[in-house]
Amino acid sequence: MSRIAVINPNMSSGFTKKVGDQAQKIVAQSTQVLALNPAFGPDSIEGYYDEAFASVGLLSVIRELEAEPVQQTDPVGGYVVACFDDTGVDAARCLTGAPVLGLCEAALRMAAAVASRFAIVTPMAVSVRPLEHLVSKYGASSQCVVRAAGVRTLDFEGANAAMAYDALKKQAEICLRDDYAEAIVLGCAGMTDISERLQAELGVPVIDGVSAAVKMIEAMAMLGLRTSKVGAYAKPPMKAYHGMFDAFAPQG
């Protein structure tokens, strides 16, 4: 049995359960899913400011898992950062040798295999520019546009879920018509449970970043792939950290 960790970097326990349930549904029987979120941080991640604070919580979870005695006999084979902003992914790759993948990168890689042009639909307009930066980073600017549904991230839970779905579907239809998108990428982890319904109603591929990242990390873990420590993702050099960050100081 192999283990993969699916970490929601925000404090929404509803989102954590949602992504954990989706991950467990699609992995092999021999794969154990650890669905976790930090003990501190924002309720949701909606833009650069939230992302900065959520990154520290994400790293705290990975540090704790890496320090567990079970790592010696049954190590975590890979980490999914269950946020479409790919919060803290690069820093996490410096912290562990196991592969780390965010939802945006995984979804874009998968979307490019099934469509020549596609659109990310994210909840809020504040997230559009950060996601455009990620699209450029991952080399998909010529294929992908980013649009907002005009709802809050947490609207995909509870009483507002039906309203949020309708807004998402409306914006996706606009992307198919006006942006000539051939597939839709769901720009939020909280949308993971509606991808199949939306795909059936739109009649085009709908890529859920949670499912894409989980299956890619599971495959990398099974192949024994590790994060390269030559260059950018090398272990950080030993130094002192101060104040509330003292516990995060690199140990060399």
Side-chain angles (χ1 to χ4, degrees):
M1 177 177 287
S2 63
R3 299 193 302 154
I4 62 173
V6 180
I7 304 173
N8 169 23
N10 68 47
M11 294 290 290
S12 171
S13 58
F15 272 27
T16 303
K17 183 180 186 306
K18 188 183 290 188
V19 299
D21 288 348
Q22 177 65 16
Q24 196 63 66
K25 185 171 74 172
I26 63 175
V27 296
Q29 289 185 351
S30 60
T31 299
Q32 179 187 4
V33 174
L34 307 174
L36 306 164
N37 57 258
F40 57 89
D43 282 343
S44 62
I45 301 171
E46 297 168 315
Y48 291 125
Y49 189 81
D50 293 338
E51 184 179 356
F53 289 97
S55 296
V56 182
L58 166 76
L59 296 177
S60 73
V61 175
I62 296 176
R63 281 176 57 89
E64 291 171 4
L65 288 174
E66 293 282 311
E68 290 181 347
V70 70
Q71 281 287 104
Q72 302 302 315
T73 55
D74 186 19
V76 173
Y79 293 90
V80 171
V81 178
C83 174
F84 206 83
D85 289 351
D86 288 3
T87 299
V89 166
D90 287 324
R93 288 172 175 164
C94 298
L95 186 59
T96 176
V100 181
L101 193 59
L103 305 192
C104 183
E105 183 173 10
L108 292 181
R109 307 295 186 206
M110 201 163 283
V114 297
S116 66
R117 185 166 176 80
F118 40 91
I120 296 171
V121 182
T122 189
M124 296 180 64
V126 71
S127 297
V128 169
R129 193 60 179 150
L131 293 184
E132 288 177 339
H133 288 161
L134 286 181
V135 169
S136 178
K137 175 182 177 180
Y138 300 139
S141 294
S142 66
Q143 297 173 279
C144 182
V145 297
V146 184
R147 303 289 183 248
V151 295
R152 294 292 303 276
T153 298
L154 294 177
D155 283 338
F156 287 92
E157 291 187 271
N160 292 327
M163 175 275 294
Y165 178 84
D166 289 341
L168 167 67
K169 182 182 176 183
K170 180 179 179 180
Q171 184 58 57
E173 291 171 335
I174 293 171
C175 292
L176 295 175
R177 184 189 69 228
D178 296 347
D179 295 314
Y180 304 103
E182 301 164 8
I184 298 297
V185 175
L186 300 179
C188 175
M191 301 174 180
T192 186
D193 57 340
I194 60 178
S195 60
E196 292 180 5
R197 174 187 172 189
L198 188 63
Q199 180 168 273
E201 293 180 2
L202 294 179
V204 298
V206 172
I207 295 89
D208 160 40
V210 173
S211 299
V214 165
K215 292 306 291 183
M216 291 175 72
I217 280 292
E218 183 182 32
M220 285 189 277
M222 291 178 64
L223 292 169
L225 292 175
R226 305 282 290 172
T227 298
S228 174
K229 294 303 172 181
V230 179
Y233 297 134
K235 190 173 182 180
M238 188 173 177
K239 70 184 73 171
Y241 279 32
H242 302 281
M244 68 179 68
F245 294 119
D246 177 69
F248 291 88
Q251 300 302 308

